[in-house]
Amino acid sequence: MTLLITISILLGILVLVRLMTIVQLSSELTGSSDSQEEQIRHNNSNGFGFIVFMVLGLGLFIYMTIDYSKHLLPVSASEHGVGLDKLLNINWAIIGVVFFITQIALFYFSYKYRDNKKHEAYFYPENYKLELIWTIVPTIVLTTLIITGLKQWNGIFSEKENSMNVQVYGYQFAWITRYSGPDNTLGKSNYKLITDDNPLGLDASDPAVKDDIYTTGNEMHIPLGQELKFQFNARDVIHSAYFPHFRAQMNLVPGMNTFFSFKPTITTAEMRKITGNDKFDYVLLCNKICGVAHYTMKMKVVVDTPADFKAWLKSQKKASEVKAAPPVSALNSTVKGSNSI
Amino acid sequence: MEVKQTAGVAVEHHDDHTHEHDHHETFLTKYIFSQDHKTIAKQYLITAIIMAFFGMYMSLIFRLQLGFPETKFAFLESLIGKWGKGGRLDPGFYMALVTIHGTIMVFFVLTGGLSGTFSNLLIPLQVGARDMASGFLNMLSFWFFFLSCAVMTYSVYIETGPAAGGWTVYPPLSALPQAMPGSGLGMTLWLVSMVFFIIQSLLGGINYICTVINLRTKGMSMTRLPLTVWAFFITAILGVLTFPVLLQRLYFWSSTEVLAQVFIFQIFLLEV
Ligand SMILES: [Cu+2]
């Protein structure tokens, strides 16, 4: 097989070389005998082609924008997402208008000013006023957009009051979510303590660990209207936690804490009504290639009313069930044997 | 008389040849190891187009999988062997295809192919220079590009599969064979190929910068340069500024992978 492919590639190269020589020879033989009329005919057909291309291209653009809009994400289910969506829409509107103006100008002028001996080329090297206008206007528009975006960004990453601390922990190829419990503090963890019974490597000697609760299934719940501060950690390689419906994404980097805060505003039940899809579910996806089964790294996210959330939390695993850590000297010897990264 | 005349013609002819060195070239120096910027531009173009087809063929395979996830394509098994068992694309090889497709398109087609082809072809023509500042470096640059393409293509056919951690090759996924099989030999070959690629990019870039600065024709001031040349010039400067950093990182990374055993062995000897 490899041999066949190699031979076909070599033959392909040979064919290309032969073609090159043929083209070279034929151009030497024919020479340049294009008459003026022939050139004008050529320009006319090319000019017409530009118009056809413009109409087809812009038509397809409009058609696809409308037809594919049904695949867009539903309305944002988080507080900050509404602002982000608005900013994105403003961006689209500006880009769309500029796109149409420039494309129409590009193709129409190519058609209109083609060389057909009816008008002569006009040498027009510079116009400072025009250049100033098309430099300053985009500068102002872009600066405004960037400043608005920066404001949004600062809003998203500002410290919020009364937020609940939640850890999102990723590893090849699944997620675990840990809730900080009544003390709202995520207890210490250490990768050296990771075992089958203690997938997060929780340090049982830390009192803050005692009331932590973590998920064992492939489903996480979050309470409606509660500001959530997510802390992201990875066990092995870089992952990326992507909550598309909440307009949130953050990388998980091994050995680092990263954060993202959002407040869910629409429950799963309400969103099912909005989308008209009984089976709709929010998801948490891994959005960074993290290995062979990256595509399976997916968790169902359910937005509950606070009461339902409390009830669900009781069904999850309590960190107090994790056994206390062995003494440090014993720890070192176990670390060597374990194959955690 | 006749003899004299022919002799005279012959001498004249000979004189012509001493003035124009380019005439007496063998196939090897004219088409293979050429130092002429136009030929080198064509070499870049052809190589990049072949690589582009290679990349496109990969994207066809993985997009078939994306578009028809439930369908079995019997031809896949004969085409890619164990990676397409039963007509289903292996998930690991899907990643590998995406990675190598991305690498080929970003580096070999967009960076190498476009810059190598059009900078080489247009810079001397548009600034009014006979050729690039150094024809030899230019030739070397193309052959490093070719070598880089060859190593990258080869890496697709090894048993553990090519690099598969995405074309951005974020460690630790791309650095540890435990994280995914492609991060072993496949990743090493990827790194070696990229080291060659960056060498070609640097040689080319230095050449483009020198040509634009030093070899402009009389009256062609920097402010009169065509915008295309300005674009090539800035591209070359950016490449020369950024690629050495990447080269250093890739070089150390690849040398730790390739030479690790040698060094460890030496350290072992010293300690004993
Ligand atoms: Cu992942």
Side-chain angles (χ1 to χ4, degrees), chain A residues 171 173 175 237-240 286-290 294 297:
Chain A
Y171 60 96
F173 298 95
W175 302 98
V237 300
I238 301 178
H239 300 275
S240 186
C286 180
N287 207 12
K288 183 135 292 158
I289 291 183
C290 62
H294 160 66
M297 200 165 157

Side-chain angles (χ1 to χ4, degrees), chain A residues 124-174:
Chain A
Y124 192 65
E126 51 206 20
N127 182 335
Y128 287 129
K129 207 171 138 196
L130 202 62
E131 280 172 31
L132 267 179
I133 291 172
W134 75 46
T135 310
I136 287 173
V137 171
T139 311
I140 291 171
V141 172
L142 286 178
T143 315
T144 324
L145 283 178
I146 289 169
I147 289 171
T148 347
L150 213 60
K151 261 189 183 165
Q152 293 267 353
W153 181 263
N154 290 337
I156 293 168
F157 285 95
S158 61
E159 278 297 321
K160 313 271 191 338
E161 278 172 24
N162 302 322
S163 60
M164 179 202 258
N165 286 319
V166 182
Q167 181 190 27
V168 170
Y169 183 80
Y171 60 96
Q172 287 177 325
F173 298 95

Side-chain angles (χ1 to χ4, degrees), chain A residues 1-2 5 9 12-13 16-17 20-21 24 172-173 236-238 254 288-295 341, chain B residues 30-31 42 46 50 57 78-79 91-92 95 98-99 157 164-166 170-173 176 178-181:
Chain A
M1 197 62 227
T2 323
I5 291 167
I9 288 172
I13 295 171
L16 271 174
V17 170
M20 288 273 292
T21 40
Q24 212 172 1
Q172 287 177 325
F173 298 95
D236 32 39
V237 300
I238 301 178
K288 183 135 292 158
I289 291 183
C290 62
V292 174
H294 160 66
Y295 66 101
I341 295 164
Chain B
K30 195 171 175 201
Y31 291 107
K42 283 175 200 158
I46 291 170
I50 291 171
Y57 141 89
S78 55
L79 200 66
M95 289 295 177
V98 172
T99 303
Y157 296 98
Y170 292 125
L173 177 65
L176 299 169
Q178 301 97 302
M180 70 193 313

